[in-house]
Amino acid sequence: MSGHARLWQFDVPPDRQAEFERVYGATGRWAVLFRRAPGYRGTILLRDRSVPNRYVTIDRWRSEADFEAFRQRYATEYEALDAACEALTEREALLGIFDEDEA
């Protein structure tokens, strides 16, 4: 079985790290939104050991089609949450879109 993953990097102001972790973690507001859609497999939040205010999220989906269906169906909610979370980051960048091999 294969999967689909999207990796994002975030630079977070030091005074916003705790809030960022709550919102972007496995049970945070993003994951709650993602869970509304079929095919969502979870989010992993990683914090860089050498740069403590740098994070990476891995959002896992059953397939790219599942993610695209989610984006289409929940576009308004996605954009609203993205705007609400803007102050939690200084910088964000899509690191890549990956195929996951689970063989």
Side-chain angles (χ1 to χ4, degrees):
M1 177 189 239
S2 64
H4 175 77
R6 290 174 177 258
L7 280 69
W8 287 87
Q9 179 182 320
F10 300 90
D11 294 335
V12 178
D15 63 331
R16 304 304 295 266
Q17 284 180 263
E19 186 179 0
F20 176 86
E21 290 174 9
R22 282 192 303 275
V23 172
Y24 284 81
T27 60
R29 291 176 64 191
W30 281 104
V32 168
L33 176 60
F34 293 156
R35 273 196 299 272
R36 295 170 68 183
Y40 173 65
R41 298 165 109 186
T43 294
I44 299 169
L45 176 62
L46 305 171
R47 184 178 43 201
D48 191 318
R49 286 181 171 186
S50 61
V51 183
N53 71 316
R54 181 169 51 197
Y55 293 83
V56 171
T57 60
I58 304 171
D59 299 317
R60 298 177 62 235
W61 295 82
R62 182 177 49 211
S63 69
E64 187 169 10
D66 285 327
F67 174 77
E68 294 301 335
F70 157 77
R71 283 287 284 144
Q72 201 167 52
R73 181 169 183 189
Y74 296 100
T76 302
E77 294 93 331
Y78 185 100
E79 296 304 325
L81 183 53
D82 192 46
C85 294
E86 221 170 83
L88 296 178
T89 63
E90 296 172 333
R91 179 181 169 278
E92 70 178 79
L94 179 64
L95 295 178
I97 298 169
F98 295 84
D99 293 322
E100 188 174 349
D101 182 10
E102 299 178 5

